[in-house]
Structures are given as C-alpha cells and as structure tokens.
Amino acid sequence: MNEKKYYVTTPIYYASGTLTLGHCYTTVIADACARFKRMQGYDVMFLTGSDEHGLKIARNAEKENLTPIEFTNKVVLEFKDLWKTLNISYDKFIRTTDEEHIKAAQYAFNKLYEKGLIYKSSYEGLYCVPCETFFTESQLVDGNCPDCGRPVEKASEESYFLKMSAFTDYIKDFYAKHPNFLVPESRKNEIYKNFIENGLNDLCVSRTTFDWGIPVPFDKKHVMYVWIDALINYISAIGYPDTNCEMFKKYWPADVQFVGRDISRFHCTIWPVLLHALDLPLPKTIHSHGFLTQKGDKISKSKGNGFNPKVLSDRYTADAVRYYLLKEGPIYNDCPYTTELFLNTYNSELVNGLGNLVSRTTAMILQNFNGELKAPDVLNDDDKELINTINALRKKVEVSMETCRVDIALKDIYEVIKACNKYIDITTPWILAKTDKVRLATVLYNLFEGIRVCATLLQAFIPDTANKVFDKLGVTNESLKSYDNALYMDSNAKVVVNKGEALFNRIDVKKEMELIDGGLVENNNEKQQPKQEKEVKQNVEVKNESKPLISIDEFDKAELKIGLVLESVEVEGSDKLLKNTIKIGDEVRTIVSGIKKFYKPGELVGKKVLVVTNLKPIKLKGILSSGMVLCAVEGDSKLSVLTLDKDVECGSEVC
Ligand code: ME8
C-alpha cells in the first residue's frame, strides 16, 4: 500500500437550495489540505458531493413544480459552479442519487440486516424535517428542534432500527484507544458526554411516510434514513462494496474527514458504528470545525443571513474569499463574519502585505536591472536573518498542516511577508539604487527568494494568486515552484521578472461596505458594521453624566450571559489588554478586555463572569473580540470583574 496516500472528505451538502459562505468553509479547508498534500507528493483523493434524498428536498422540489431529481439536478449544477468559482480541486463529486451509491447503500443495509443488527419495530417521535432527525421530548429546546430551532412534527410509523446499543462498549473502548479520532478535544468531550457515556440508543433507520429515498432492499415500503444513506457516500465513492478494488484498498480508511460541529455527532457515533458493523476500519481523524456566524447566529439560509458567496468572489476574487475563510474563519470555534472584517483583511494583508511586497520588488528589479535578477553578493546580518526566517517557513507550515491548522499556516506565511516588507524598510533599496548597485542586487535577490518561497507554499491556499506571483517573478521552471524547493536558493540569478498587473487592487472599505451591505449581497442583513479596529478603553472609562432613560425593550436588546473563563493571557504589544477565552454554554469565544492593569494573566481562569454576548465583534490588536466582560469601575484606580455569589451553569441568561 502507498504510505503517501491521503483521503480527505467534506460532508456531502444538502441539495435543498443554494449554499452559503458558511458551507464554503468546509470545502475550502479540505481543498487547502488536499492541495498541500499533493504538493508534498501524496496520492490524494479529495471527495465532496451532494446529499439528495429526504423529505425536505422532496418538499422543496414540489414548491418549484419539479420532480425531486429534476430539482437536485439543478441544485447540483449550482454546487459545481460554486466549487469551480472557488477553485475547489475535488477528485470526485458523489451524488447520493448515483446508481453506484444506491447499490452500495442497499448492500450495506442488507448486510447489517443479515447480521441481525437491524430489526423491525415502530417509532413514535418528534421529527425535524429540515434536519432529517428524530428527537426525544427532553432534547427539544422550547419545544423546537435543538439544532435549527424550527418546529418538530410528531411522527409515528413502522420502522427498522439499527442496534446501536450493542456497540456501546465497542465505541467507548475505541474512543479510549484513539484519543485523536475526533478533533478538537473539547468537541470530543462534549460528544462523549452527551451521546456516548450513558450508552448508545438504537437508531430508527427507515421511513415509510415519504418515498424520496433509497428503498430498503428487503422491504420496498421503506426508504433508508438519510443519514445512513449519506454516510455511506464516503465508502461508496471509492468502490464499496468492492473492498478489494484498487481505489478502496488504496484510500480506505480516510485520513481526514471534515465536518461542521452540527453534524459531528452523526460522524462520531453512527458512522463508527456503521463501519465497525460492516467490518471496516474507522477513519483516522474527524475534524469538527465551528461555524461562521453573523450576529452570533450560524450563517445559514434558514436564518436569513446566508448570502451567496459568489457575490464576494466575483467582486474581490475567489482567492480573497479563500484567504479570508482559511486565515480568519472557524477552525474549531465559531467565528463572526462581517463585510468590514472581510474587506479590512483584503486591504491590509492582500493589497498592502503581499501585493505591495511583490509589486515593489519586481518594480525595483525592472527599474534597476532591466528586470534581470542578479546574483547575491556578500550577505550581512540583516540578510542572514531574513534568509533564516524564509528557511524556517516550510517546516512551520508543514507542522501546522499535519493537524489541518490552515489558519496557523497562513499566519506563518504572512509573518514572512511582513518580515520581507520590514527588510525593505531596513535596507532602503531606493537609496541603494543611487548609491550601491551591488548591495541593491543582493537585497532584491533575497526579496525575490522570500516571495518565491511564500508563493510556493501559498499554492495550497490561494492558487490563482500564487500563479500570478510566479508570473510576475518570471518563474516558469516548475521545479522552482515545488515543495522541495520552498527554501532559499542562491542559484536563481538571470530569471527575468515581469511587470504584470497588480495582484489585488486597493478598495475603499467604506464605499464597498455601502455597496455590499446596501443590497448587492442578497439577504445580508448586516447593514451597520462594527467600528474600525481601535484600542478601546473597555471597562476603564467612567462616565460622570447620566445616560438617557431607556425602555425595557431597548435594554432587552442586550444579550447577557454567564461565561466561564478558560484562559486569560497577555496581548502582545498592549499594556491594557488581556485576551480571554470564555466558554458560554456550548460555545467558546475570544473576548479581549482592557483589564490588564487590574488582573494578572490567568488570574480570572475558572471564574464565572457576566458577558455581553451580542456586541458586534471588533478587532483589538489584531485579535477578533466577540463580546464584553462586565466590570465595576471606581475612577481610574479600581476595577472588579463582576462574578456570581451562587454557582450558575455557564451559558445561563442574565436578566
Ligand atoms: O449537514 N459555518 O449538509 P449541509 C461553517 N448533508 N460551516 C457551515 C455553516 C456555517 N455557517 N453552515 C453549514 C449536511 N456549514 C449533510 C451532511 S455528510 C454524510 C451529510 C457546514 O449542507 C455544516 O456544518 O447542511 C456541514 O459540515 C456542511 O456545511 C454541510 O452542511
């Protein structure tokens, strides 16, 4: 077996309507990992696809006067179009309506039945149609679906059940032996506590009240529960049930399966049981990422904030979207998205950071040496420092990518871009152009190499941009773009750079925000944006004058909750701020507070504090802060973080 194989999957997306920017996160992160592994010489299989059965899809089709398959055919074209726009390099797109998939799902269902693991009984429960999930009364939140908040329907019918309960010991043992199966640790603990610790429940795996699904092979009145149908895609795509075929033997078990946190429990309870029951090994890791949110809510069509991501990619390029999602988006926690955050990142990092570095360097090589890169002369300490920074990059990125931390990898690359820009400020090449051409040639050579190494690694994240950078650098030799050569080389003299067009054009953030938030982006309710990054005097400013009276409704707009401080650390370069990691119910947030004068890092850890949770997020010293910790203040000299005199569950409302 090829040791250098990498099988990575996204979930298959519900073909019930248009995808949102939130959906794109899962696909873009999987794409970056797939591209990176290909660069490292792995034989990669990157799978995505569409989940096309179930009542919701049948109902949506009906609304459009289409048959379900006509409806999903249309939606799938939109999916593929979006993935093309975003440069998603999937190797296979599976549809659960593919004949091969249907056969595989039926084979698996039958096998479980023959093994005595599926039995007939009757089911009475509460069913959420959009989520295709049954819930018990106690799982509901205010009588509604705990996942999407919508009403549930009573459903009672003859059904087949999968004996999940028989696998409780197996799954407990598996989790104990495979501590890294589900990443991150916090999600694993949550899933284990809520769904595994007290034993698995048998699962209803067939329906009779609608027929848009895969028929149960031995009882055609029933269709398979969509989650069983859907999960099988990961193996049917590579040839299951023919476990001896080349694809299956090569790629299974999957190396990384990306899922959003809402569907982790399906992938971490039902999926392992299914595989084990089918005598197959389990995937190596499941990465469960957080949500991209707006105003604290998951970006989603049903919440009315799921605008079409193509608006952003058409206007600012696919790479701008990819860069933002990968660097600033979820990995494990939820991350707020606003147009302003997106546009500011675009201007500061892509236009000013990378774009400027490349255009300044190539322009100086063109002006001073007719575009030809000259060999470096003697290296001084500044040069050596830059070269060390460049040479350390590949290893850093490799380490981050081993655990799919695309965000850290991009931060590391951006640090080298910053180091190159700083090197320009220190070495002042515009003065050298008048005084010392030999030294100038060395400086420009080093910059060229810094850019080339960054561009090589950026191929995994923003591939179009990386190619444009290579064009501008005049790098045509494929080996100079290879992972192996993502290190400083001293043999590239004579390469001829090109002027080319600017990589990214600076934008007027205010004007663009007006355009985007003013309606160019459908359903984007984010009309008023948070203030620009600034140092806030949070909690230390005492206002003497009384504020005007407000009504209870106005006060009610503030959402206050109890948070548990998990971590409280210094913010680099600030003498006022502490960066707190706070757990609020199921969610973990970063909140930056101006309390460093009054609290040592770590001092608040373990304390339950009062948090304003619906403040618009703002960036403080480059850190996105989502909320505010409430404090009592006495002049400039005393500040006390408000805590509780009785223990109350974190996440509880404050009213
Ligand atoms: O769940 N932020 O499909 P789906 C981050 N068909 N991720 C988000 C998101 C957001 N705002 N909104 C959605 C399904 N996602 C099933 C999967 S797999 C066998 C079956 C993520 O189209 C979501 O968490 O509702 C999930 O991982 C993926 O998009 C597909 O969601």
Side-chain angles (χ1 to χ4, degrees):
M1 203 179 64
N2 180 1
E3 279 308 308
K4 284 197 94 179
K5 71 90 188 169
Y6 187 73
Y7 182 23
V8 58
T9 67
T10 72
I12 44 173
Y13 294 83
Y14 275 131
S16 53
T18 318
L19 296 175
T20 69
L21 189 66
H23 290 112
C24 297
Y25 181 74
T26 327
T27 325
V28 169
I29 188 174
D31 184 65
C33 293
R35 285 177 183 271
F36 192 78
K37 287 288 174 184
R38 284 191 201 109
M39 274 170 54
Q40 287 184 309
Y42 281 72
D43 177 342
V44 172
M45 170 69 181
F46 169 20
L47 176 72
T48 190
S50 52
D51 189 356
E52 301 186 26
H53 293 124
L55 189 52
K56 184 181 177 189
I57 288 172
R59 284 187 181 165
N60 285 0
E62 216 174 274
K63 278 188 220 151
E64 295 196 14
N65 260 333
L66 296 172
T67 62
I69 193 67
E70 284 168 350
F71 178 79
T72 56
N73 281 345
K74 183 177 73 106
V75 175
V76 165
L77 282 182
E78 285 170 22
F79 284 9
K80 288 187 173 172
D81 182 50
L82 178 62
W83 299 150
K84 192 165 171 224
T85 305
L86 290 180
N87 254 320
I88 304 301
S89 63
Y90 59 79
D91 297 291
K92 175 153 182 155
F93 187 103
I94 185 162
R95 299 181 58 174
T96 53
T97 49
D98 288 342
E99 206 177 308
E100 295 306 311
H101 170 77
I102 293 172
K103 279 192 201 148
Q106 288 184 322
Y107 176 91
F109 207 93
N110 210 35
K111 180 162 177 176
L112 297 172
Y113 185 64
E114 279 173 359
K115 282 181 130 191
L117 295 171
I118 283 182
Y119 64 93
K120 197 192 251 181
S121 182
S122 91
Y123 191 88
E124 278 196 19
L126 300 156
Y127 192 71
C128 175
V129 175
C131 297
E132 315 272 12
T133 310
F134 274 110
F135 293 100
T136 58
E137 193 85 47
S138 65
Q139 286 174 316
L140 302 185
V141 176
D142 298 331
N144 293 322
C145 168
D147 285 346
C148 73
R150 279 172 288 197
V152 290
E153 291 177 8
K154 267 209 164 131
S156 162
E157 58 189 271
E158 172 194 282
S159 296
Y160 286 96
F161 283 77
L162 175 65
K163 274 192 198 161
M164 297 270 291
S165 54
F167 293 88
T168 299
D169 288 345
Y170 161 74
I171 202 145
K172 283 187 172 174
D173 184 54
F174 178 83
Y175 272 84
K177 287 186 179 138
H178 300 86
N180 299 325
F181 171 66
L182 172 57
V183 185
E185 176 91 19
S186 58
R187 196 94 71 235
K188 183 183 75 188
N189 295 341
E190 181 192 312
I191 300 246
Y192 195 85
K193 186 165 169 281
N194 293 334
F195 301 104
I196 298 176
E197 198 163 58
N198 297 326
L200 298 172
N201 294 324
D202 287 357
L203 179 75
C204 171
V205 289
S206 77
R207 306 289 315 271
T208 51
T209 48
F210 61 90
D211 59 5
W212 180 237
I214 300 183
V216 167
F218 46 83
D219 189 344
K220 297 279 162 44
K221 271 205 322 280
H222 290 251
V223 290
M224 286 165 53
Y225 172 44
V226 276
W227 270 100
I228 302 290
D229 163 1
L231 288 163
I232 299 287
N233 95 85
Y234 301 126
I235 48 177
S236 67
I238 51 167
Y240 186 83
D242 183 0
T243 51
N244 279 323
C245 74
E246 206 184 303
M247 280 257 270
F248 198 89
K249 279 203 306 209
K250 191 198 292 178
Y251 294 119
W252 195 257
D255 294 85
V256 174
Q257 300 208 265
F258 284 106
V259 293
R261 70 177 170 87
D262 52 340
I263 59 170
S264 306
R265 69 190 162 104
F266 300 97
H267 286 81
C268 299
T269 54
I270 306 174
W271 185 219
V273 165
L274 267 183
L275 288 168
H276 184 64
L278 293 170
D279 309 312
L280 294 172
L282 271 52
K284 290 181 194 159
T285 48
I286 297 204
H287 279 257
S288 166
H289 64 73
F291 293 145
L292 205 62
T293 60
Q294 265 194 331
K295 294 182 176 168
D297 275 335
K298 172 187 177 189
I299 290 187
S300 120
K301 274 265 154 182
S302 63
K303 306 250 184 204
N305 58 6
F307 61 84
N308 189 341
K310 279 190 86 171
V311 175
L312 295 182
S313 58
D314 288 351
R315 200 164 174 81
Y316 309 107
T317 74
D319 277 354
V321 176
R322 290 176 64 105
Y323 185 83
Y324 183 82
L325 288 176
L326 292 171
K327 182 153 178 286
E328 305 297 335
I331 186 162
Y332 301 126
N333 295 329
D334 289 357
C335 279
Y337 168 85
T338 67
T339 313
E340 188 181 34
L341 290 170
F342 171 78
L343 297 175
N344 279 337
T345 303
Y346 176 92
N347 257 355
S348 69
E349 300 188 12
L350 294 175
V351 180
N352 290 352
L354 177 64
N356 239 350
L357 171 66
V358 176
S359 65
R360 286 203 287 177
T361 305
T362 49
M364 285 188 284
I365 298 173
L366 279 159
Q367 277 159 21
N368 294 288
F369 303 107
N370 278 332
E372 192 182 298
L373 192 62
K374 300 288 175 197
D377 192 47
V378 184
L379 300 175
N380 70 16
D381 286 349
D382 291 333
D383 305 334
K384 286 180 194 154
E385 195 185 324
L386 182 74
I387 292 168
N388 286 340
T389 307
I390 295 168
N391 277 337
L393 182 62
R394 188 179 72 181
K395 187 72 202 163
K396 280 189 186 172
V397 174
E398 185 182 313
V399 168
S400 302
M401 292 303 281
E402 267 317 299
T403 49
C404 306
R405 291 307 301 262
V406 289
D407 55 332
I408 302 176
L410 270 175
K411 281 180 187 103
D412 287 336
I413 298 175
Y414 191 64
E415 282 308 310
V416 175
I417 292 169
K418 280 201 321 207
C420 289
N421 274 324
K422 194 171 143 211
Y423 176 79
I424 296 183
D425 296 341
I426 295 170
T427 53
T428 60
W430 58 93
I431 297 177
L432 295 176
K434 293 181 196 139
T435 57
D436 187 348
K437 286 266 177 152
V438 176
R439 175 78 193 128
L440 176 66
T442 305
V443 166
L444 293 178
Y445 186 92
N446 295 338
L447 286 169
F448 176 99
E449 278 299 287
I451 297 169
R452 186 184 61 78
V453 168
C454 287
T456 301
L457 297 167
L458 283 172
Q459 289 176 106
F461 307 91
I462 45 174
D464 280 346
T465 305
N467 281 335
K468 278 193 200 162
V469 173
F470 287 133
D471 284 349
K472 280 173 81 80
L473 292 184
V475 170
T476 49
N477 181 343
E478 288 303 314
S479 107
L480 294 187
K481 306 174 188 173
S482 71
Y483 188 74
D484 283 350
N485 285 328
L487 293 168
Y488 181 93
M489 300 166 85
D490 57 13
S491 53
N492 287 328
K494 294 211 167 4
V495 169
V496 178
V497 306
N498 302 304
K499 188 160 187 308
E501 56 183 76
L503 294 178
F504 296 95
N505 296 313
R506 168 163 270 289
I507 49 172
D508 180 334
V509 171
K510 244 179 138 179
K511 220 162 111 191
E512 290 297 309
M513 271 169 61
E514 276 167 24
L515 280 170
I516 299 284
D517 295 336
L520 232 172
V521 177
E522 49 164 333
N523 291 334
N524 186 357
N525 300 326
E526 198 71 24
K527 297 259 192 272
Q528 287 175 354
Q529 297 292 332
K531 294 193 176 61
Q532 294 249 348
E533 177 169 345
K534 61 175 190 172
E535 183 83 29
V536 282
K537 292 195 207 157
Q538 189 192 350
N539 303 329
V540 287
E541 198 175 58
V542 192
K543 297 229 166 58
N544 289 325
E545 71 279 12
S546 300
K547 293 178 181 169
L549 291 177
I550 57 167
S551 69
I552 188 78
D553 285 343
E554 283 169 293
F555 176 72
D556 214 23
K557 285 185 188 157
E559 188 184 68
L560 304 171
K561 287 194 177 167
I562 301 303
L564 171 68
V565 183
L566 301 178
E567 200 184 33
S568 180
V569 295
E570 291 189 325
V571 171
E572 218 181 277
S574 168
D575 53 5
K576 294 201 184 91
L577 302 175
L578 286 183
K579 178 183 155 203
N580 307 302
T581 306
I582 300 187
K583 181 170 177 352
I584 305 160
D586 285 334
E587 205 191 335
V588 176
R589 292 196 185 191
T590 298
I591 299 181
V592 178
S593 311
I595 55 173
K596 189 171 167 191
K597 206 170 126 194
F598 308 96
Y599 288 91
K600 290 192 206 67
E603 199 180 337
L604 286 174
V605 169
K607 289 223 160 49
K608 288 196 173 157
V609 296
L610 273 63
V611 181
V612 185
T613 48
N614 63 337
L615 271 186
K616 287 181 176 161
I618 67 170
K619 258 193 179 177
L620 298 167
K621 290 272 169 199
I623 302 167
L624 195 65
S625 176
S626 309
M628 183 166 84
V629 175
L630 292 183
C631 303
V633 282
E634 192 184 301
D636 266 346
S637 56
K638 247 192 198 168
L639 178 147
S640 171
V641 167
L642 298 180
T643 54
L644 301 171
D645 69 353
K646 288 197 186 84
D647 196 22
V648 171
E649 206 59 272
C650 83
S652 302
E653 295 275 349
V654 177
C655 49

